[in-house]
Amino acid sequence: MSDPNDPRDGEGDAGVVLQTKPKTKRPPLYKVLLLNDDYTPMEFVVHVLERFFGMTHAQAFEVMLTVHKKGVAVVGVFSHEIAETKVGQVMDFARRHQHPLQCTMEKE
């Protein structure tokens, strides 16, 4: 005899187990920051922003002014590996051109 309170009664699939997909966690993102200094020419900073961050000249000019006025600006948000690569590229490029420009990254 069946139990009238059994929610499985009459469904015929009492043995089926529903499997749930484990939720995958998104990797953390990292902000790439450009820091102001008193020696790197503004034109060089604009060039770096265009070359390594794909900004238009107008966008790069605005970000450069933010760096100049506020001392720092976020120039992009990336996965850890990409952020690390961008920081390395900017720092290497600045050193090769003998500028003290600093670029760092921090977890968002």
Side-chain angles (χ1 to χ4, degrees):
M1 189 137 172
S2 66
D3 181 2
N5 296 325
D6 188 351
R8 296 173 296 166
D9 192 33
E11 292 179 17
D13 60 350
V16 174
V17 177
L18 297 176
Q19 292 191 3
T20 57
K21 225 177 177 182
K23 287 189 178 182
T24 53
K25 207 173 178 185
R26 287 193 178 269
L29 295 176
Y30 291 81
K31 297 184 283 190
V32 175
L33 308 164
L34 212 52
L35 307 175
N36 189 42
D37 64 73
D38 294 331
Y39 304 101
T40 304
M42 292 179 176
E43 298 80 26
F44 184 79
V45 175
V46 169
H47 180 69
V48 164
L49 293 168
E50 291 171 343
R51 179 173 178 160
F52 297 105
F53 298 96
M55 295 183 188
T56 65
H57 186 75
Q59 291 169 325
F61 191 81
E62 286 298 316
V63 173
M64 176 275 297
L65 285 179
T66 301
V67 172
H68 181 69
K69 292 176 183 175
K70 295 188 176 183
V72 65
V74 175
V75 295
V77 179
F78 308 96
S79 67
H80 184 270
E81 293 78 14
I82 293 174
E84 199 171 50
T85 299
K86 297 267 186 199
V87 168
Q89 288 173 329
V90 170
M91 296 294 288
D92 183 54
F93 190 70
R95 297 301 156 263
R96 282 189 279 128
H97 289 85
Q98 300 178 342
H99 294 300
L101 183 64
Q102 292 292 305
C103 186
T104 62
M105 61 188 262
E106 66 181 39
K107 201 169 186 178
E108 191 172 47

XYZ file of all heavy atoms in Angstrom:
858
model
N 0.837 -1.180 0.000
C 0.000 0.000 0.000
C 0.881 1.243 0.000
O 1.885 1.298 0.677
C -0.874 -0.028 1.242
C -1.892 1.008 1.217
S -3.409 0.262 1.778
C -4.324 1.678 1.869
N 0.469 2.263 -0.743
C 1.295 3.464 -0.839
C 0.880 4.508 0.188
O -0.269 4.567 0.612
C 1.211 4.040 -2.244
O -0.099 4.498 -2.493
N 1.854 5.329 0.554
C 1.630 6.391 1.526
C 1.091 7.617 0.782
O 1.742 8.119 -0.134
C 2.962 6.708 2.214
C 2.845 7.801 3.265
O 1.720 8.298 3.500
O 3.890 8.153 3.848
N -0.060 8.163 1.144
C -0.621 9.313 0.424
C 0.225 10.591 0.601
O 0.111 11.522 -0.163
C -2.009 9.496 1.017
C -2.038 8.714 2.284
C -0.954 7.691 2.202
N 1.118 10.618 1.609
C 1.967 11.783 1.848
C 3.322 11.690 1.152
O 4.112 12.612 1.241
C 2.195 11.979 3.351
C 0.902 12.294 4.074
O 0.038 12.966 3.536
N 0.759 11.778 5.273
N 3.585 10.563 0.483
C 4.871 10.371 -0.197
C 4.862 11.165 -1.505
O 4.073 10.879 -2.399
C 5.099 8.883 -0.471
C 6.508 8.605 -0.997
O 7.236 9.576 -1.311
O 6.860 7.415 -1.088
N 5.715 12.210 -1.624
C 5.717 13.024 -2.846
C 6.162 12.243 -4.082
O 5.901 12.646 -5.191
C 6.709 14.150 -2.524
C 7.555 13.640 -1.415
C 6.708 12.642 -0.668
N 6.829 11.102 -3.879
C 7.293 10.310 -5.019
C 6.216 9.381 -5.535
O 6.357 8.797 -6.593
C 8.518 9.492 -4.614
C 9.708 10.352 -4.245
C 10.813 9.521 -3.691
N 10.337 8.905 -2.433
C 10.937 7.905 -1.813
N 12.022 7.381 -2.314
N 10.465 7.423 -0.694
N 5.138 9.225 -4.813
C 4.094 8.273 -5.156
C 3.448 8.622 -6.497
O 3.061 9.760 -6.730
C 3.031 8.242 -4.065
C 2.093 7.060 -4.238
O 2.575 6.012 -4.715
O 0.912 7.197 -3.895
N 3.416 7.667 -7.367
C 2.770 7.821 -8.653
C 3.651 8.463 -9.717
O 3.221 8.603 -10.840
N 4.841 8.864 -9.367
C 5.702 9.510 -10.364
C 6.541 8.487 -11.124
O 6.996 8.761 -12.211
C 6.609 10.549 -9.697
C 5.813 11.727 -9.171
C 6.679 12.758 -8.488
O 7.910 12.747 -8.692
O 6.134 13.563 -7.742
N 6.806 7.337 -10.542
C 7.527 6.278 -11.232
C 9.018 6.542 -11.387
O 9.717 5.765 -12.000
N 9.565 7.643 -10.866
C 10.990 7.925 -11.008
C 11.639 8.108 -9.641
O 12.538 8.910 -9.484
C 11.223 9.150 -11.888
C 10.590 10.409 -11.334
O 9.813 10.316 -10.365
O 10.873 11.487 -11.857
N 11.182 7.355 -8.681
C 11.700 7.477 -7.323
C 13.183 7.150 -7.239
O 13.877 7.636 -6.364
C 10.916 6.569 -6.382
N 13.715 6.378 -8.167
C 15.120 5.992 -8.120
C 16.054 6.966 -8.848
O 17.255 6.807 -8.824
N 15.506 7.982 -9.504
C 16.331 8.914 -10.267
C 16.958 9.944 -9.316
O 16.281 10.537 -8.495
C 15.489 9.645 -11.342
C 16.300 10.710 -12.042
C 14.941 8.645 -12.325
N 18.254 10.115 -9.456
C 18.969 11.108 -8.647
C 19.353 12.255 -9.572
O 19.983 12.045 -10.603
C 20.240 10.496 -8.005
C 21.012 11.547 -7.237
C 19.859 9.330 -7.120
N 18.950 13.458 -9.206
C 19.304 14.623 -10.012
C 20.719 15.044 -9.669
O 21.077 15.168 -8.507
C 18.343 15.779 -9.731
C 16.888 15.537 -10.089
C 16.040 16.730 -9.675
C 16.747 15.299 -11.581
N 21.511 15.234 -10.694
C 22.888 15.672 -10.464
C 22.986 17.158 -10.765
O 22.497 17.625 -11.791
C 23.850 14.897 -11.357
C 23.936 13.446 -10.958
C 25.084 12.745 -11.671
O 25.825 13.362 -12.403
N 25.211 11.460 -11.444
N 23.593 17.878 -9.836
C 23.769 19.302 -10.058
C 25.203 19.557 -10.493
O 26.126 18.884 -10.056
C 23.473 20.113 -8.780
O 24.319 19.641 -7.740
C 22.033 19.967 -8.361
N 25.331 20.517 -11.366
C 26.652 20.888 -11.857
C 27.338 21.746 -10.799
O 26.730 22.675 -10.266
C 26.474 21.722 -13.130
C 27.357 21.366 -14.244
C 27.013 22.230 -15.438
C 27.956 21.933 -16.568
N 27.689 22.779 -17.710
N 28.603 21.453 -10.480
C 29.283 22.308 -9.508
C 29.480 23.699 -10.111
O 29.775 23.842 -11.296
C 30.627 21.611 -9.274
C 30.819 20.753 -10.469
C 29.449 20.391 -10.978
N 29.264 24.708 -9.289
C 29.440 26.076 -9.767
C 30.928 26.392 -9.849
O 31.656 26.195 -8.896
C 28.756 27.069 -8.836
C 27.256 27.042 -8.952
C 26.639 28.185 -8.191
C 25.138 28.156 -8.363
N 24.485 29.259 -7.695
N 31.333 26.877 -11.000
C 32.730 27.261 -11.148
C 32.864 28.722 -10.750
O 32.025 29.549 -11.085
C 33.218 27.068 -12.599
O 32.324 27.751 -13.473
C 33.285 25.603 -12.966
N 33.912 28.994 -10.032
C 34.159 30.333 -9.530
C 34.980 31.102 -10.558
O 35.938 30.572 -11.120
C 34.949 30.216 -8.222
C 34.771 31.337 -7.278
C 35.459 30.989 -5.977
C 35.349 32.126 -5.006
N 36.118 31.850 -3.797
N 34.592 32.322 -10.828
C 35.367 33.156 -11.752
C 36.700 33.506 -11.099
O 36.760 33.780 -9.915
C 34.628 34.443 -12.065
C 33.443 34.249 -12.975
C 32.978 35.609 -13.495
N 31.881 35.475 -14.409
C 32.015 35.340 -15.721
N 33.210 35.297 -16.254
N 30.967 35.251 -16.487
N 37.767 33.526 -11.907
C 39.068 33.889 -11.337
C 39.047 35.364 -10.925
O 38.331 36.167 -11.524
C 40.055 33.650 -12.482
C 39.230 33.663 -13.713
C 37.855 33.205 -13.321
N 39.828 35.718 -9.917
C 39.844 37.122 -9.490
C 40.445 38.012 -10.570
O 41.287 37.566 -11.356
C 40.732 37.110 -8.241
C 41.552 35.885 -8.369
C 40.729 34.895 -9.134
N 39.999 39.248 -10.603
C 40.516 40.203 -11.570
C 41.484 41.158 -10.880
O 41.408 41.372 -9.675
C 39.366 40.985 -12.211
C 38.414 40.140 -13.052
C 37.249 40.995 -13.549
C 39.140 39.500 -14.223
N 42.363 41.722 -11.678
C 43.402 42.617 -11.151
C 43.391 43.938 -11.911
O 43.298 43.949 -13.128
C 44.785 41.954 -11.278
C 44.930 40.790 -10.344
C 44.396 39.551 -10.665
C 45.562 40.933 -9.118
C 44.495 38.482 -9.793
C 45.676 39.868 -8.240
C 45.139 38.646 -8.587
O 45.231 37.596 -7.710
N 43.478 45.022 -11.146
C 43.558 46.347 -11.737
C 45.012 46.644 -12.069
O 45.894 46.397 -11.256
C 43.064 47.412 -10.750
C 41.611 47.264 -10.379
C 41.150 48.383 -9.479
C 41.639 48.181 -8.070
N 41.050 49.097 -7.103
N 45.251 47.178 -13.255
C 46.589 47.636 -13.629
C 46.587 49.148 -13.423
O 45.708 49.855 -13.937
C 46.935 47.261 -15.082
C 48.276 47.863 -15.482
C 46.960 45.745 -15.241
N 47.552 49.625 -12.641
C 47.630 51.036 -12.272
C 48.867 51.687 -12.861
O 49.949 51.093 -12.857
C 47.682 51.168 -10.747
C 46.598 50.433 -9.962
C 46.982 50.324 -8.501
C 45.282 51.146 -10.108
N 48.705 52.896 -13.325
C 49.830 53.693 -13.802
C 50.045 54.807 -12.782
O 49.083 55.459 -12.370
C 49.490 54.280 -15.178
C 50.613 54.490 -16.165
C 51.437 53.223 -16.346
C 50.065 54.954 -17.492
N 51.307 54.999 -12.362
C 51.623 55.974 -11.318
C 52.329 57.187 -11.913
O 53.147 57.066 -12.827
C 52.519 55.324 -10.262
C 52.002 54.014 -9.658
C 53.041 53.418 -8.736
C 50.698 54.236 -8.932
N 52.028 58.341 -11.364
C 52.643 59.581 -11.830
C 54.069 59.721 -11.310
O 54.413 59.215 -10.242
C 51.811 60.777 -11.350
C 52.264 62.078 -11.969
O 52.564 62.139 -13.145
N 52.320 63.122 -11.171
N 54.889 60.379 -12.095
C 56.222 60.777 -11.647
C 56.522 62.140 -12.264
O 55.772 62.611 -13.112
C 57.288 59.726 -12.019
C 57.458 59.578 -13.509
O 58.033 60.487 -14.132
O 57.015 58.547 -14.063
N 57.584 62.762 -11.822
C 57.902 64.117 -12.288
C 58.804 64.143 -13.519
O 59.214 65.223 -13.952
C 58.587 64.909 -11.166
C 57.642 65.161 -9.998
O 56.416 65.243 -10.233
O 58.125 65.271 -8.855
N 59.129 62.995 -14.085
C 60.123 62.951 -15.156
C 59.627 62.380 -16.473
O 60.097 62.791 -17.532
C 61.354 62.159 -14.695
C 61.943 62.729 -13.431
C 61.690 62.135 -12.206
C 62.722 63.887 -13.462
C 62.218 62.669 -11.029
C 63.246 64.433 -12.296
C 62.985 63.819 -11.086
O 63.491 64.359 -9.937
N 58.723 61.428 -16.441
C 58.256 60.803 -17.683
C 57.412 61.797 -18.475
O 56.446 62.343 -17.939
C 57.421 59.538 -17.378
O 58.203 58.655 -16.580
C 57.001 58.831 -18.652
N 57.748 62.032 -19.737
C 56.969 62.972 -20.550
C 55.527 62.495 -20.757
O 55.270 61.294 -20.887
C 57.708 63.006 -21.895
C 59.055 62.430 -21.624
C 58.895 61.495 -20.468
N 54.613 63.430 -20.782
C 53.199 63.109 -20.974
C 52.973 62.381 -22.294
O 52.149 61.464 -22.365
C 52.356 64.378 -20.911
C 52.311 65.010 -19.545
S 51.308 66.504 -19.614
C 51.325 66.977 -17.893
N 53.696 62.760 -23.314
C 53.542 62.128 -24.632
C 53.916 60.646 -24.575
O 53.313 59.817 -25.251
C 54.417 62.826 -25.691
C 54.067 64.274 -25.932
C 54.643 65.234 -24.881
O 55.681 64.915 -24.247
O 54.036 66.295 -24.675
N 54.924 60.326 -23.765
C 55.343 58.932 -23.620
C 54.241 58.117 -22.942
O 53.948 56.989 -23.348
C 56.648 58.834 -22.822
C 57.174 57.429 -22.714
C 57.850 56.851 -23.769
C 56.971 56.686 -21.556
C 58.322 55.541 -23.681
C 57.441 55.386 -21.460
C 58.116 54.811 -22.525
N 53.613 58.696 -21.919
C 52.522 58.008 -21.213
C 51.364 57.761 -22.172
O 50.788 56.663 -22.195
C 52.057 58.822 -19.976
C 50.848 58.175 -19.323
C 53.204 58.963 -18.978
N 51.024 58.740 -22.985
C 49.955 58.576 -23.978
C 50.311 57.439 -24.938
O 49.471 56.575 -25.229
C 49.706 59.902 -24.750
C 48.789 59.672 -25.954
C 49.115 60.951 -23.817
N 51.558 57.404 -25.385
C 52.001 56.342 -26.287
C 51.875 54.957 -25.636
O 51.413 53.997 -26.264
C 53.449 56.599 -26.732
C 53.982 55.554 -27.650
N 53.521 55.390 -28.930
C 54.931 54.600 -27.460
C 54.155 54.374 -29.499
N 55.020 53.882 -28.626
N 52.268 54.850 -24.375
C 52.160 53.581 -23.635
C 50.705 53.138 -23.558
O 50.377 51.958 -23.779
C 52.770 53.729 -22.214
C 52.323 52.597 -21.302
C 54.286 53.792 -22.295
N 49.811 54.056 -23.248
C 48.390 53.715 -23.124
C 47.801 53.268 -24.459
O 47.000 52.333 -24.507
C 47.617 54.905 -22.556
C 47.963 55.257 -21.105
C 47.375 56.611 -20.720
C 47.501 54.167 -20.154
N 48.214 53.899 -25.520
C 47.738 53.497 -26.851
C 48.300 52.136 -27.238
O 47.562 51.254 -27.701
C 48.168 54.531 -27.900
C 47.473 55.867 -27.778
C 48.064 56.937 -28.679
O 49.213 56.766 -29.172
O 47.385 57.935 -28.898
N 49.580 51.953 -27.018
C 50.272 50.738 -27.464
C 49.897 49.496 -26.655
O 49.616 48.436 -27.221
C 51.776 50.960 -27.389
C 52.581 49.752 -27.814
C 54.040 50.057 -27.880
N 54.779 48.864 -28.241
C 55.987 48.885 -28.738
N 56.598 50.025 -28.964
N 56.610 47.761 -29.026
N 49.891 49.595 -25.330
C 49.702 48.409 -24.490
C 48.271 48.207 -23.991
O 47.928 47.116 -23.533
C 50.666 48.437 -23.305
C 52.109 48.387 -23.735
C 52.899 49.520 -23.686
C 52.663 47.218 -24.218
C 54.230 49.481 -24.092
C 53.987 47.168 -24.644
C 54.774 48.308 -24.575
N 47.449 49.248 -24.061
C 46.092 49.121 -23.534
C 45.028 49.399 -24.595
O 43.839 49.466 -24.278
C 45.918 50.020 -22.309
C 46.845 49.622 -21.196
C 48.067 50.261 -21.022
C 46.535 48.563 -20.356
C 48.941 49.878 -20.024
C 47.404 48.163 -19.359
C 48.608 48.822 -19.196
N 45.459 49.574 -25.848
C 44.530 49.695 -26.963
C 43.626 50.911 -26.912
O 42.522 50.888 -27.468
N 44.061 51.970 -26.259
C 43.231 53.169 -26.155
C 43.403 54.033 -27.399
O 44.454 54.026 -28.036
C 43.633 53.986 -24.920
C 43.366 53.291 -23.617
S 43.792 54.376 -22.235
C 43.613 53.230 -20.881
N 42.354 54.791 -27.698
C 42.468 55.793 -28.749
C 43.331 56.927 -28.201
O 43.576 57.011 -26.990
C 41.090 56.361 -29.126
O 40.561 57.066 -27.999
C 40.129 55.263 -29.577
N 43.752 57.820 -29.085
C 44.577 58.942 -28.628
C 43.817 59.790 -27.606
O 44.378 60.188 -26.578
C 45.020 59.799 -29.818
C 45.975 60.879 -29.427
N 47.297 60.610 -29.133
C 45.799 62.202 -29.236
C 47.901 61.743 -28.789
N 47.009 62.724 -28.852
N 42.526 60.024 -27.865
C 41.710 60.841 -26.952
C 41.563 60.164 -25.582
O 41.696 60.823 -24.540
C 40.343 61.114 -27.559
N 41.295 58.855 -25.582
C 41.176 58.122 -24.318
C 42.491 58.152 -23.554
O 42.516 58.393 -22.346
C 40.787 56.659 -24.575
C 39.396 56.450 -25.088
C 39.182 55.012 -25.557
O 40.089 54.368 -26.102
N 37.976 54.513 -25.372
N 43.584 57.893 -24.261
C 44.898 57.862 -23.633
C 45.246 59.230 -23.046
O 45.808 59.319 -21.952
C 45.955 57.435 -24.650
N 44.889 60.291 -23.746
C 45.171 61.644 -23.264
C 44.404 61.915 -21.972
O 44.960 62.461 -21.007
C 44.813 62.677 -24.337
C 45.308 64.054 -24.016
C 46.622 64.410 -24.266
C 44.456 64.995 -23.449
C 47.092 65.680 -23.949
C 44.911 66.261 -23.127
C 46.233 66.612 -23.380
N 43.137 61.507 -21.919
C 42.314 61.702 -20.710
C 42.878 60.923 -19.522
O 42.966 61.436 -18.410
C 40.863 61.276 -20.966
C 40.090 62.241 -21.828
C 39.952 63.629 -21.202
O 39.659 63.713 -20.002
O 40.162 64.612 -21.931
N 43.265 59.672 -19.757
C 43.824 58.846 -18.679
C 45.157 59.432 -18.211
O 45.434 59.497 -17.010
C 43.971 57.373 -19.115
C 44.714 56.564 -18.065
C 42.597 56.757 -19.376
N 45.974 59.890 -19.157
C 47.255 60.504 -18.794
C 47.030 61.722 -17.905
O 47.741 61.920 -16.914
C 48.012 60.907 -20.065
C 49.322 61.645 -19.830
S 49.140 63.439 -19.601
C 48.472 63.959 -21.157
N 46.025 62.527 -18.220
C 45.728 63.695 -17.386
C 45.271 63.270 -15.988
O 45.620 63.913 -14.997
C 44.659 64.574 -18.047
C 45.135 65.416 -19.219
C 43.967 66.226 -19.805
C 46.266 66.354 -18.812
N 44.515 62.189 -15.898
C 44.096 61.665 -14.595
C 45.313 61.236 -13.785
O 45.421 61.555 -12.594
C 43.124 60.475 -14.768
O 41.988 60.919 -15.507
C 42.686 59.916 -13.426
N 46.232 60.520 -14.425
C 47.466 60.100 -13.748
C 48.235 61.338 -13.278
O 48.699 61.404 -12.138
C 48.353 59.234 -14.677
C 49.710 58.969 -14.046
C 47.657 57.926 -15.019
N 48.327 62.322 -14.143
C 49.078 63.542 -13.829
C 48.456 64.309 -12.653
O 49.166 64.757 -11.753
C 49.132 64.432 -15.070
C 49.897 65.694 -14.879
N 51.266 65.707 -14.718
C 49.488 66.984 -14.811
C 51.666 66.966 -14.561
N 50.608 67.752 -14.616
N 47.134 64.424 -12.649
C 46.443 65.220 -11.624
C 46.237 64.467 -10.307
O 46.373 65.040 -9.236
C 45.090 65.696 -12.148
C 45.209 66.719 -13.258
C 43.841 67.082 -13.802
C 43.963 68.058 -14.960
N 42.666 68.334 -15.580
N 45.888 63.200 -10.398
C 45.554 62.430 -9.189
C 46.698 61.562 -8.686
O 46.629 61.012 -7.594
C 44.325 61.561 -9.440
C 43.079 62.377 -9.697
C 41.848 61.520 -9.742
C 40.627 62.410 -9.901
N 39.386 61.646 -9.877
N 47.726 61.374 -9.506
C 48.874 60.583 -9.092
C 48.799 59.120 -9.468
O 49.812 58.422 -9.446
N 47.609 58.641 -9.818
C 47.434 57.236 -10.188
C 46.121 57.102 -10.960
O 45.189 57.880 -10.759
C 47.424 56.318 -8.938
C 46.233 56.591 -8.051
C 47.497 54.858 -9.317
N 46.071 56.102 -11.843
C 44.823 55.794 -12.551
C 44.800 54.318 -12.908
O 45.843 53.720 -13.183
C 44.690 56.636 -13.818
N 43.613 53.755 -12.883
C 43.420 52.378 -13.343
C 43.379 52.432 -14.867
O 42.596 53.178 -15.448
C 42.107 51.780 -12.795
C 41.863 50.396 -13.378
C 42.128 51.732 -11.283
N 44.246 51.655 -15.502
C 44.307 51.667 -16.961
C 43.724 50.406 -17.582
O 43.646 50.298 -18.804
C 45.754 51.914 -17.459
C 46.207 53.305 -17.055
C 46.719 50.875 -16.936
N 43.317 49.456 -16.744
C 42.682 48.241 -17.236
C 42.453 47.252 -16.111
O 43.076 47.352 -15.048
N 41.545 46.311 -16.345
C 41.248 45.248 -15.388
C 41.327 43.926 -16.147
O 40.651 43.759 -17.171
C 39.851 45.436 -14.750
C 39.549 44.316 -13.777
C 39.757 46.791 -14.055
N 42.161 43.022 -15.634
C 42.469 41.797 -16.364
C 42.593 40.611 -15.406
O 42.668 40.781 -14.198
C 43.808 41.946 -17.103
C 43.897 43.169 -17.962
C 44.501 44.331 -17.485
C 43.384 43.165 -19.246
C 44.590 45.469 -18.282
C 43.471 44.299 -20.049
C 44.068 45.448 -19.568
N 42.700 39.421 -15.990
C 43.035 38.236 -15.196
C 44.473 38.425 -14.697
O 45.214 39.282 -15.204
C 42.954 36.971 -16.059
O 43.979 36.987 -17.037
N 44.873 37.619 -13.731
C 46.198 37.766 -13.124
C 47.314 37.697 -14.162
O 48.214 38.537 -14.187
C 46.409 36.692 -12.051
C 47.713 36.840 -11.324
N 48.865 36.242 -11.752
C 48.031 37.545 -10.210
C 49.853 36.568 -10.934
N 49.371 37.358 -9.988
N 47.261 36.706 -15.045
C 48.322 36.500 -16.016
C 48.436 37.674 -16.991
O 49.539 38.126 -17.306
C 48.105 35.200 -16.797
C 48.249 33.944 -15.969
C 47.019 33.640 -15.098
O 45.935 34.246 -15.312
O 47.152 32.821 -14.181
N 47.305 38.154 -17.458
C 47.329 39.262 -18.414
C 47.792 40.540 -17.729
O 48.612 41.284 -18.276
C 45.953 39.429 -19.095
C 45.679 38.213 -19.971
C 45.901 40.723 -19.901
C 44.305 38.164 -20.587
N 47.304 40.794 -16.517
C 47.728 41.987 -15.774
C 49.233 41.962 -15.538
O 49.926 42.971 -15.736
C 46.980 42.079 -14.447
N 49.736 40.803 -15.147
C 51.168 40.648 -14.892
C 51.984 40.916 -16.163
O 53.018 41.585 -16.135
C 51.417 39.224 -14.393
C 52.705 39.007 -13.671
C 52.732 37.615 -13.038
O 52.441 36.613 -13.728
O 53.042 37.568 -11.845
N 51.493 40.422 -17.288
C 52.165 40.621 -18.568
C 52.169 42.099 -18.943
O 53.200 42.642 -19.360
C 51.485 39.795 -19.677
O 51.568 38.411 -19.323
C 52.129 40.021 -21.030
N 51.019 42.758 -18.797
C 50.922 44.185 -19.136
C 51.881 45.007 -18.281
O 52.573 45.887 -18.794
C 49.494 44.697 -18.937
C 48.474 44.046 -19.829
C 48.272 44.811 -21.073
C 47.120 44.212 -21.879
N 47.169 44.620 -23.256
N 51.925 44.741 -16.978
C 52.831 45.469 -16.081
C 54.271 45.278 -16.544
O 55.043 46.242 -16.650
C 52.649 45.021 -14.615
C 53.768 45.560 -13.734
C 51.298 45.474 -14.081
N 54.646 44.047 -16.838
C 56.006 43.757 -17.301
C 56.337 44.456 -18.605
O 57.434 45.004 -18.768
N 55.397 44.465 -19.540
C 55.621 45.115 -20.830
C 55.832 46.622 -20.657
O 56.744 47.200 -21.248
C 54.424 44.883 -21.762
C 54.317 43.479 -22.281
C 53.020 43.257 -23.054
O 51.987 43.872 -22.772
N 53.080 42.372 -24.039
N 54.976 47.247 -19.845
C 55.081 48.696 -19.628
C 56.393 49.042 -18.928
O 57.103 49.973 -19.344
C 53.872 49.219 -18.821
C 54.083 50.662 -18.376
C 52.589 49.090 -19.642
N 56.731 48.285 -17.884
C 57.956 48.564 -17.141
C 59.187 48.376 -18.032
O 60.105 49.198 -18.017
C 58.052 47.662 -15.906
C 56.950 47.914 -14.883
S 57.048 49.528 -14.126
C 58.462 49.283 -13.090
N 59.198 47.322 -18.826
C 60.322 47.060 -19.724
C 60.443 48.160 -20.778
O 61.535 48.663 -21.045
C 60.145 45.692 -20.391
C 61.319 45.331 -21.284
O 62.465 45.373 -20.793
O 61.088 45.016 -22.472
N 59.327 48.542 -21.353
C 59.309 49.593 -22.373
C 59.803 50.919 -21.795
O 60.598 51.630 -22.425
C 57.888 49.730 -22.924
C 57.765 50.590 -24.139
C 58.263 50.176 -25.366
C 57.107 51.814 -24.070
C 58.130 50.971 -26.502
C 56.978 52.617 -25.194
C 57.479 52.199 -26.408
N 59.355 51.251 -20.590
C 59.780 52.497 -19.934
C 61.288 52.476 -19.658
O 61.986 53.468 -19.900
C 58.999 52.709 -18.641
N 61.802 51.349 -19.180
C 63.241 51.248 -18.890
C 64.074 51.376 -20.161
O 65.095 52.050 -20.169
C 63.581 49.915 -18.211
C 62.976 49.665 -16.865
C 63.355 50.718 -15.818
N 62.348 50.765 -14.767
C 61.338 51.637 -14.712
N 61.168 52.550 -15.627
N 60.477 51.613 -13.724
N 63.607 50.717 -21.227
C 64.348 50.782 -22.497
C 64.404 52.209 -23.043
O 65.328 52.565 -23.754
C 63.740 49.838 -23.539
C 64.137 48.381 -23.294
C 63.727 47.476 -24.444
N 62.309 47.144 -24.298
C 61.390 47.288 -25.261
N 61.718 47.737 -26.442
N 60.135 46.975 -25.042
N 63.409 53.004 -22.683
C 63.379 54.402 -23.127
C 63.862 55.354 -22.023
O 63.689 56.560 -22.124
C 61.973 54.775 -23.601
C 61.628 54.129 -24.894
N 61.117 52.846 -24.988
C 61.765 54.566 -26.172
C 60.938 52.544 -26.249
N 61.326 53.566 -26.999
N 64.426 54.773 -20.981
C 65.037 55.512 -19.869
C 64.077 56.472 -19.169
O 64.409 57.613 -18.870
C 66.291 56.242 -20.345
C 67.318 55.275 -20.887
C 68.552 55.965 -21.419
O 68.547 57.150 -21.697
N 69.621 55.202 -21.530
N 62.854 55.948 -18.895
C 61.863 56.716 -18.143
C 61.549 55.966 -16.853
O 61.495 54.733 -16.842
C 60.584 56.906 -18.951
C 60.768 57.757 -20.166
N 61.204 59.056 -20.116
C 60.580 57.485 -21.483
C 61.277 59.547 -21.337
N 60.906 58.602 -22.194
N 61.310 56.697 -15.772
C 61.026 56.044 -14.484
C 59.545 55.687 -14.277
O 59.113 55.461 -13.155
C 61.470 57.102 -13.469
C 61.205 58.394 -14.152
C 61.507 58.133 -15.612
N 58.778 55.629 -15.337
C 57.352 55.328 -15.247
C 57.125 54.036 -14.465
O 57.794 53.031 -14.700
C 56.764 55.185 -16.658
C 55.259 54.936 -16.751
C 54.487 56.137 -16.208
C 54.866 54.669 -18.198
N 56.159 54.068 -13.542
C 55.836 52.895 -12.726
C 54.433 52.389 -13.074
O 53.492 53.167 -13.224
C 55.869 53.254 -11.238
C 57.255 53.579 -10.723
C 58.140 52.353 -10.715
O 57.806 51.334 -10.125
N 59.276 52.449 -11.393
N 54.337 51.069 -13.151
C 53.068 50.400 -13.434
C 52.967 49.253 -12.453
O 53.914 48.498 -12.274
C 53.071 49.901 -14.874
S 51.509 49.216 -15.432
N 51.815 49.146 -11.777
C 51.619 48.081 -10.794
C 50.257 47.423 -11.013
O 49.462 47.888 -11.832
C 51.678 48.632 -9.348
O 50.608 49.572 -9.172
C 52.998 49.281 -9.040
N 50.019 46.385 -10.243
C 48.717 45.725 -10.290
C 48.257 45.406 -8.881
O 49.082 45.240 -7.969
C 48.768 44.448 -11.129
C 49.710 43.385 -10.618
S 49.884 42.013 -11.767
C 48.732 40.854 -11.062
N 46.947 45.380 -8.684
C 46.382 45.002 -7.386
C 45.056 44.288 -7.613
O 44.376 44.536 -8.602
C 46.220 46.198 -6.459
C 45.214 47.218 -6.904
C 45.106 48.403 -5.959
O 46.138 48.853 -5.432
O 43.984 48.871 -5.757
N 44.738 43.415 -6.680
C 43.502 42.633 -6.782
C 42.306 43.565 -6.697
O 42.294 44.503 -5.911
C 43.449 41.600 -5.652
C 42.527 40.445 -5.917
C 42.759 39.364 -4.886
C 41.959 38.137 -5.225
N 42.188 37.055 -4.280
N 41.312 43.303 -7.537
C 40.134 44.150 -7.566
C 39.246 43.883 -6.364
O 39.144 42.812 -5.862
C 39.361 43.912 -8.863
C 38.275 44.934 -9.092
C 37.639 44.841 -10.438
O 37.289 43.721 -10.860
O 37.499 45.879 -11.078
